[in-house]
Amino acid sequence: MKRDPQRPEECPGRPEPPPPPPSPLSSSSPPGEAEGAELKLTPPVWIFGYGSLVWRPGFEFTSRKVGFIRGYSRRFWQGDTFHRGSERMPGRVVTLLEDCGACTWGVAYEVRGEQIAASLQYLNMREAVLGGYVTKLVKFHPQDKDTEEPILALVYIATPQNPSYLGPASEEDIAAQIIVSSGCAGHNIEYLLRLADFMRYFCPQAEDKHLFSIEEALISILPCLYYTEESVEETASDPQKSKS
C-alpha cells in the first residue's frame, strides 16, 4: 500500500517534534479496560480511523473494512497546529465524544507481522505527538455481513485534557475557522470535504448531522469570502473605485 507523500514530521519550516511516546502495544492491561500506552494488543491488530485516516492511512496494511463503533459521536472539537493549521491559526479536526446511543462510522485497517510495529510507530508520531491524541480499545462493527462478531480495534481520541483541545462551537464558527486554516498536510477545507465525501459515498445510510452542518455552513460562506477578496483586488488595482 502507498504511504503519505509527506510524513508529518518532515514538514519544512516547523520545529523538530519531540520523541514519540511508547508504543501502545503492551501486555500489562486487559483488552478494553486500558487507555494510553498500556493496551494489550493481540496480532493481528485492527486500527480504527474516523478522520483523515479514512482516506490517507499513511501506513501499510493487510486489509480494511468500512464500519462503525458504538457509544461515540464525531466532533470537530480538536485544534490542529501542525497537519491542518498553525500556531498562529489552528485548524479544526475531529475527535470522539462519549455519547450513549450514538455511533461513528469510519474505516478499520488490519495490520500483521512487521506492519504492526511500523504502523504504531508512525501513528504515535502523527496522532499522539503531533496531534495530542491518546489510544483506547473499542469494538468495531464491520459494514459487510460476513463478519458477525465485532472486532477489537485501536482508536486515537483527543480528550479535553490535551492542550490543543478547543471544545464546542457553533457550526458556523467552526466552518469559519476551517476556511482560514492550513498546515503541513494541506488545507483544513480539504479535510472537511474529504471526510464528508467519505460518509456520503461509503456510508450513505448513516447520519452525521454535525459533519454535514459544518460542510453546509462552509459552502454558504465561501461565495461571500470570494466576493470580498475579489472586491479588495479590484480596489487595489483601481484606487478610484474606493472613492465612488
Side-chain angles (χ1 to χ4, degrees):
M1 296 291 175
K2 293 182 178 180
R3 294 177 179 270
D4 290 347
Q6 176 173 282
R7 297 178 69 87
E9 61 269 31
E10 296 174 351
C11 184
R14 294 294 179 92
E16 190 72 20
S23 164
L25 188 59
S26 173
S27 58
S28 59
S29 301
E33 297 182 6
E35 298 183 16
E38 300 300 324
L39 296 180
K40 180 180 179 181
L41 303 176
T42 304
V45 173
W46 287 83
I47 300 166
F48 178 69
Y50 56 93
S52 60
L53 288 180
V54 303
W55 73 83
R56 190 168 71 179
F59 55 86
E60 294 182 359
F61 55 89
T62 300
S63 66
R64 60 184 168 187
K65 294 179 181 288
V66 174
F68 62 90
I69 61 173
R70 299 187 189 277
Y72 292 93
S73 292
R74 177 170 30 219
R75 292 289 184 268
F76 275 82
W77 289 3
Q78 173 68 357
D80 188 340
T81 60
F82 191 90
H83 301 291
R84 300 288 175 173
S86 63
E87 293 288 347
R88 186 176 64 87
M89 203 167 290
R92 283 258 184 178
V93 292
V94 292
T95 184
L96 294 178
L97 173 71
E98 290 190 15
D99 185 359
C100 183
C103 68
T104 295
W105 285 77
V107 177
Y109 298 91
E110 178 191 19
V111 290
R112 293 175 174 269
E114 295 180 355
Q115 295 174 345
I116 296 175
S119 62
L120 293 180
Q121 182 180 11
Y122 169 72
L123 289 173
N124 274 350
M125 177 60 71
R126 171 173 166 175
E127 305 295 336
V129 175
L130 300 176
Y133 290 70
V134 298
T135 50
K136 293 187 70 173
L137 287 175
V138 293
K139 291 182 179 180
F140 170 74
H141 302 264
Q143 184 182 50
D144 61 66
K145 304 300 180 182
D146 298 334
T147 308
E148 296 181 358
E149 295 295 324
I151 300 170
L152 200 62
L154 183 73
V155 66
Y156 289 81
I157 299 176
T159 67
Q161 286 70 43
N162 85 83
S164 296
Y165 191 80
L166 296 177
S170 69
E171 283 81 5
E172 292 76 16
D173 287 345
I174 293 175
Q177 185 172 351
I178 288 173
I179 283 176
V180 297
S181 301
S182 62
C184 291
H187 204 286
N188 209 177
I189 293 176
E190 178 200 24
Y191 180 97
L192 169 64
L193 297 183
R194 278 183 175 265
L195 188 52
D197 284 346
F198 164 79
M199 287 294 296
R200 190 173 288 113
Y201 297 128
F202 290 94
C203 320
Q205 77 283 11
E207 293 185 3
D208 196 324
K209 183 179 179 181
H210 177 76
L211 170 63
F212 291 122
S213 294
I214 295 172
E215 181 193 35
E216 184 179 346
L218 181 138
I219 291 172
S220 68
I221 295 173
L222 278 176
C224 300
L225 184 67
Y226 175 77
Y227 177 78
T228 302
E229 290 180 345
E230 190 178 57
S231 300
V232 170
E233 290 176 358
E234 289 179 355
T235 302
S237 63
D238 187 358
Q240 294 299 321
K241 289 187 177 182
S242 64
K243 300 178 181 180
S244 59

